[in-house]
Amino acid sequence: MTIDWPAGPLDHACLVLDFDGTLAPIVSDPATSSMPDSTRTVLASLAGRVGRLAIVSGRPAGFLAERVGVDGAELVGLYGLERVVDGSVEPDPRVAPYLDALATAKVAMGEEVARWEGAELEDKGRAFAVHWRRAADRDAAAVALEAMARRVAGELAVEDGKMVVELRPPVAADKGTAVALLADGFDDVCFAGDDLGDLPAFAEVRSRGGLAVAVDHGEETDPRVRAAADVVVDGTAGFADWLAALAARPRRH
């Protein structure tokens, strides 16, 4: 596989990656999501070569701290509302005024989720998500749960994804703003992702002349994700190959 990024040395580059569906294969139970050891090994190699390696996810930062296990990788969770600093999770202080609204919405959504066999509510602490990938009647559950999420959201932000809807504080933070902070001062930036929540990050890297990589999961991937990318790879296995080719680049002396 030919890698045409970055244009300059790797130590002047910023590589930012999504987790689920990009580094970790999509699974029916979100709690079991994990990154293959082979991918972790490649990331560990890249962490010592790129100027900055970061993982930005809709998952809580604490979840990333448990699952990534790559020294030197910066971890940003909840679309930029949390990050791991010196081993501890630091939340964005702007979320505090919305915690009561989150708690109220969570109760209402939990009651609706209970009506749909196989649907699940994932509590992220400062956000929550509702999944219907394992629902017995997936189509009907999707319609009902998406409608309910918008009904109870109030001032909260609603984020759509693959068979999931998430409610979180309406703070001006997304994967695009997270990438902007991480990429500041670097000559080259790349972001890889697979879902609608990654579109702001794609837009940010392209505005900087960087590279947007879409990880394609076939029918599950929204066409807008492919259209927004510079490069499309086939699933997490294809992206692992892309990373391995990048790590195999000869060092410049």
Side-chain angles (χ1 to χ4, degrees):
M1 180 181 294
T2 301
I3 298 296
D4 56 2
W5 181 88
L10 278 176
D11 59 0
H12 292 176
C14 175
L15 178 60
V16 188
L17 311 172
D18 171 47
F19 185 76
D20 291 287
T22 299
L23 295 173
I26 295 173
V27 291
S28 59
D29 182 357
T32 66
S33 179
S34 64
M35 182 168 58
D37 289 340
S38 56
T39 302
R40 184 175 293 106
T41 298
V42 172
L43 285 183
S45 171
L46 285 169
R49 296 187 63 191
V50 297
R52 170 171 277 168
L53 173 65
I55 296 171
V56 176
S57 173
R59 295 279 199 165
F63 176 93
L64 297 177
E66 294 174 357
R67 303 299 171 98
V68 174
V70 175
D71 290 340
E74 299 182 44
L75 305 177
V76 180
L78 297 185
Y79 301 90
L81 296 181
E82 294 180 344
R83 60 186 61 240
V84 176
V85 179
D86 296 328
S88 298
V89 174
E90 289 194 359
D92 187 319
R94 296 176 295 171
V95 307
Y98 302 100
L99 295 180
D100 287 346
L102 270 171
T104 299
K106 192 185 306 177
V107 170
M109 282 303 302
E111 293 172 353
E112 181 66 20
V113 167
R115 297 180 58 240
W116 297 95
E117 180 185 352
E120 300 164 280
L121 189 149
E122 177 190 3
D123 190 348
K124 299 184 177 186
R126 298 174 181 90
F128 69 88
V130 173
H131 302 264
W132 53 86
R133 181 178 294 276
R134 298 199 291 177
D137 189 343
R138 186 184 287 175
D139 292 340
V143 172
L145 293 170
E146 287 180 329
M148 187 64 172
R150 282 162 174 78
R151 192 154 55 245
V152 305
E155 60 185 344
L156 300 175
V158 180
E159 183 80 37
D160 294 306
K162 292 190 184 83
M163 300 184 218
V164 61
V165 64
E166 179 168 324
L167 272 67
R168 56 191 176 92
V171 173
D174 58 25
K175 290 187 179 181
T177 60
V179 168
L181 291 171
L182 292 163
D184 192 36
F186 287 91
D187 296 337
D188 294 289
V189 59
C190 171
F191 178 84
D194 72 307
D195 209 346
L196 293 174
D198 299 312
L199 294 182
F202 284 1
E204 179 62 30
V205 298
R206 297 186 79 177
S207 75
R208 293 169 176 265
L211 184 71
V213 180
V215 181
D216 188 7
H217 296 282
E219 292 183 356
E220 285 199 12
T221 299
D222 191 291
R224 289 172 288 181
V225 175
R226 300 187 197 94
D230 301 298
V231 174
V232 178
V233 297
D234 187 12
T236 53
F239 185 63
D241 290 342
W242 190 94
L243 286 174
L246 181 62
R249 264 189 166 191
R251 295 180 182 270
R252 297 185 181 184
H253 300 286

